Amino acid sequence: MINLQSDELLETTVGQFMIDADKVAHVQVGNNLEHALLVLTKTGYTAIPVLDASFRLHGLIGTNMIMDKIFGLERIEFEKLDQLHVEEVMLTDIPRLKTNDPILKGFGLVINHAFVCVENEDQVFEGIFTRRVALKQLNKHLRTLNK
Ligand code: 4BW
Ligand code: 4BW
């Protein structure tokens, strides 16, 4: 357990606080939008990572991106859900963290992003660093300092 009374929190790394890949819902490159919408709806998350078969990170996909793509001028074009693939819709310009990045870098990134994907040196997806985890650690730290 980290002693939050010292500067130890600031010396910790993103890897120590990330949600491990095996607990993160994701879709794969090649999956169609119907599958992605199913995963998003059933897990309840608004956005999740898109990985390839080697677990490399390609982008993020969210319900809003899917819905935006199938909105036609006059109606919602549901038939597009099984014709289009996640790589045609996903967001690719995303921040990335490495497991050994300082936690301060993670705190900075989750100001503007609800979560940031974490990769190892070979660009293999390792997990996510979420705003909830960041706030939880900062809250603990501040409460301890305030005692
Ligand atoms: O299923 C949930 N369980 C718990 N405990 N909290 C949840 C759950 N779903 C949503 N929440 C809460 C969290 O506080 O709502 C926040 C916003 O969820 P989001 O964005 O819009 O789906 C959650 O904040 P968070 O934990 O800081 O997570 C930020 C974002 O990270 C989520 C989602 O896009 C992604 N995420 C978090 N855990 C994930 C995940 N994506 C895939 N798999 C996971 N296990
Ligand atoms: O349009 C966006 N611009 C920016 N800069 N960031 C956005 C935008 N849309 C989403 N985000 C990011 C923010 O980090 O995704 C997070 C989750 O969005 P949400 O929940 O699931 O739509 C955003 O986190 P947040 O800024 O801390 O906002 C948390 C939640 O508060 C949002 C939304 O439910 C609500 N919210 C924020 N600004 C709002 C708003 N609702 C209506 N109008 C606003 N201007």
Side-chain angles (χ1 to χ4, degrees), residues 109-126:
L109 285 171
V110 294
I111 294 171
N112 286 322
H113 304 272
F115 72 100
V116 178
C117 292
V118 184
E119 331 171 284
N120 69 13
E121 298 303 327
D122 301 317
Q123 279 92 49
V124 174
F125 178 72
E126 295 272 305

Side-chain angles (χ1 to χ4, degrees), residues 1 24 44 58 79 91 103:
M1 198 51 168
V24 177
H58 287 245
E79 64 280 9
L91 184 66
I103 200 161

Side-chain angles (χ1 to χ4, degrees), residues 64-105:
N64 62 327
M65 300 169 207
I66 297 176
M67 295 312 290
D68 192 51
K69 192 76 177 177
I70 65 170
F71 274 139
L73 285 179
E74 289 174 1
R75 62 181 190 91
I76 301 175
E77 296 165 350
F78 288 109
E79 64 280 9
K80 281 190 177 169
L81 285 175
D82 67 356
Q83 294 162 3
L84 294 169
H85 295 94
V86 291
E87 56 272 30
E88 297 169 74
V89 175
M90 68 185 179
L91 184 66
T92 53
D93 183 15
I94 53 167
R96 293 158 188 249
L97 285 163
K98 294 269 189 279
T99 43
N100 57 0
D101 277 335
I103 200 161
L104 266 188
K105 186 173 178 186

